[in-house]
Amino acid sequence: MAAGLPCVVTDWNGYKDTVRDGEDGFRIATRAPGPGNGADLAYWYSNAWVNYDNYVGATGQFTAIDYGAATTAILALVSNPDLRQRMGAQAKARAREVFDWAAIIPQYQALWEELNARRRASAPQPPSTINPFRPDPFTLFKSYPTAYSSGHDIVELAPGMDWAMAEPILTSPLASYSAFNRPNVEEAKKSVAWLSERSSATVAELAAAVASPSRRSHMIRGVLWLARYGIVTLRSPAEPAVEPGS
């Protein structure tokens, strides 16, 4: 931004406060499990049954972005020099006005004062059954994603996707890393086949169709893994379906 470049970023954590969507660049929607959906990850990590790399790797595998929106944003900047120039100029101005040290240091000082006031005013917290040193990662990062996933989300097979295309993607080193409590290859294969026979379904319906009862909660959360690698698309029931090419 300080160099006058419009940015295409994920709508995630600090980018929410940095890039103004449609002004300095584009923020691409993200989706992750809601708070309380990572107790198994936290429990295994707290007991040293998985190491830190696998813990953060498994957590990250359950985060997906909107590939269609990312493609649209990049193409808009590639094909429209006026848009690039306008957004780049606004980005540079915002970097100077908001992120220069002269603006940042007073904000740090105000934050320290606020935190100190909160510390002095806070009441003792009730005991919790959750290990405070190893919290549920999706509770810890609950403010990061654009939206939470759920069994009510609508899942569709990505355009042109079939198992011949999906298998090498999902078995690649990047996608297969840290395979903790998520769909296995057979469940993924069944998911692709089942979705290929219908236009859409809810995530809960897919999980019930392809996973055993003891595996359905992993499947519901694990659909995000399939979306992360472009095998399926996800949207909330309130979102309209996106027509191909639109």
Side-chain angles (χ1 to χ4, degrees):
M1 291 173 68
L5 295 176
C7 300
V8 179
V9 300
T10 51
D11 189 44
W12 184 264
N13 192 25
Y15 287 141
K16 294 175 180 286
D17 301 316
T18 309
V19 177
R20 296 171 297 180
D21 187 51
E23 296 185 47
D24 313 304
F26 297 99
R27 292 207 312 262
I28 307 306
T30 58
R31 193 177 295 268
N37 282 284
D40 53 337
L41 288 161
Y43 186 73
W44 275 60
Y45 179 47
S46 69
N47 284 284
W49 296 340
V50 294
N51 61 24
Y52 181 74
D53 287 349
N54 277 277
Y55 166 67
V56 296
T59 301
Q61 294 280 26
F62 296 120
T63 305
I65 71 164
D66 186 333
Y67 282 103
T71 301
T72 299
I74 293 169
L75 287 175
L77 290 171
V78 168
S79 60
N80 191 332
D82 291 338
L83 179 66
R84 293 198 303 271
Q85 185 176 25
R86 175 173 59 81
M87 284 190 165
Q90 291 175 171
K92 189 171 185 177
R94 179 167 170 79
R96 289 178 174 174
E97 293 168 3
V98 180
F99 302 115
D100 185 84
W101 282 117
I104 290 292
I105 293 299
Q107 294 180 62
Y108 270 125
Q109 293 170 328
L111 174 63
W112 296 331
E113 291 179 6
E114 178 187 344
L115 292 176
N116 190 46
R118 287 188 182 189
R119 178 182 62 82
R120 291 177 179 275
S122 64
Q125 297 296 310
S128 172
T129 58
I130 297 175
N131 184 341
F133 296 104
R134 296 290 183 267
D136 174 342
F138 302 119
T139 298
L140 186 63
F141 303 121
K142 65 182 179 181
S143 65
Y144 284 20
T146 306
Y148 302 138
S149 64
S150 79
H152 300 295
D153 282 346
I154 305 300
V155 57
E156 300 171 5
L157 199 62
M161 183 60 62
D162 58 20
W163 183 243
M165 186 184 302
E167 183 178 20
I169 296 173
L170 296 178
T171 56
S172 67
L174 181 62
S176 61
Y177 179 72
S178 199
F180 180 83
N181 285 352
R182 68 169 184 251
N184 55 41
V185 172
E186 185 59 30
E187 289 166 339
K189 183 177 182 180
K190 288 180 179 178
S191 297
V192 171
W194 191 81
L195 288 171
S196 68
E197 298 175 351
R198 46 196 46 82
S199 58
S200 65
T202 67
V203 170
E205 289 170 339
L206 172 63
V210 304
S212 64
S214 64
R215 293 275 303 164
R216 284 175 191 168
S217 62
H218 298 326
M219 189 69 210
I220 288 174
R221 184 178 66 182
V223 171
L224 281 164
W225 175 61
L226 301 179
R228 177 181 180 86
Y229 293 101
I231 310 303
V232 302
T233 62
L234 289 173
R235 57 184 171 87
S236 72
E239 293 177 71
V242 177
E243 296 297 328
S246 62

